[in-house]
């Protein structure tokens, strides 16, 4: 059995309360990690990214169900997480092999939002609504 791990850091591109449906529906979050953690995972073939910082991409397939999501008071929530939020993420490392070779990744299990940066989606301009 694989052991769950925990990472804490600033996040971006969070699709935790609802899946990202650009391609196949998937829950995901990218968490900023220290350079040494990045280098360790990179050497092992895990999906990490270097782009104005070092990030690990943690995902969960839609068919596995929603990951757990909690606010800073440990209450379940469905809030959208904005870029730059401070989060604590529980995940598992996995690996499998198929005809294309060895694949490694991170399975998203749960997220706790420690400091929420509001998601800027669907914000109306102050003068948008008018009397008809």
């Amino acid at each position: 059995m694989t052991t769950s791990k925990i990472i804490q850091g600033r996040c971006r591109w969070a699709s935790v309360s609802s899946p990202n449906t650009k391609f196949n529906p998937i829950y995901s979050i990218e968490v900023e990690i220290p350079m040494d953690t990045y280098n360790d995972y990179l050497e092992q073939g895990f999906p990490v990214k270097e782009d104005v910082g070092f990030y690990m991409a943690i995902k969960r397939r839609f068919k596995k169900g929603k990951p757990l999501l909690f606010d800073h008071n440990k209450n379940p929530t469905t809030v959208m997480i904005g870029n730059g939020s401070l989060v604590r993420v529980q995940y598992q490392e996995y690996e499998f092999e198929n005809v294309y070779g060895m694949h490694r990744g991170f399975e998203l299990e749960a997220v706790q939002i420690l400091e929420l940066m509001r998601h800027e989606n669907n914000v109306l301009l102050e003068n948008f609504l008018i009397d008809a």
Side-chain angles (χ1 to χ4, degrees):
M1 182 174 156
T2 308
T3 305
S4 294
K5 296 185 176 189
I6 297 171
I7 187 81
Q8 182 174 313
R10 299 281 171 188
C11 72
R12 66 180 187 178
W13 313 126
S15 297
V16 180
S17 56
S18 61
N20 179 334
T21 57
K22 186 173 183 180
F23 300 108
N24 293 325
I26 194 161
Y27 297 100
S28 63
I29 190 168
E30 291 186 10
V31 180
E32 192 168 23
I33 54 176
M35 187 169 63
D36 59 334
T37 303
Y38 167 83
N39 288 330
D40 289 345
Y41 277 134
L42 184 64
E43 287 175 11
Q44 296 174 53
F46 283 95
V48 289
K49 301 177 180 183
E50 181 180 0
D51 173 35
V52 192
F54 303 101
Y55 293 86
M56 59 192 294
I58 308 170
K59 300 178 181 182
R60 182 181 186 93
R61 285 197 241 156
F62 181 74
K63 68 181 184 180
K64 288 193 168 190
K66 235 183 217 188
L68 300 173
L69 179 59
F70 301 94
D71 66 15
H72 67 283
N73 290 322
K74 303 179 186 175
N75 298 314
T77 186
T78 58
V79 69
M80 292 180 70
I81 304 170
N83 291 344
S85 294
L86 181 61
V87 296
R88 187 172 167 85
V89 178
Q90 181 177 304
Y91 67 97
Q92 286 189 14
E93 296 173 1
Y94 68 84
E95 68 179 32
F96 66 91
E97 190 170 2
N98 62 17
V99 296
Y100 302 106
M102 180 61 73
H103 302 275
R104 291 187 167 97
F106 306 111
E107 176 78 23
L108 179 60
E109 295 179 324
V111 176
Q112 182 183 14
I113 305 163
L114 302 177
E115 180 184 312
L116 179 64
M117 303 298 282
R118 289 281 173 198
H119 196 280
E120 297 300 323
N121 213 5
N122 299 326
V123 175
L124 295 177
L125 297 176
E126 186 176 322
N127 60 352
F128 174 72
L129 298 176
I130 60 171
D131 294 324

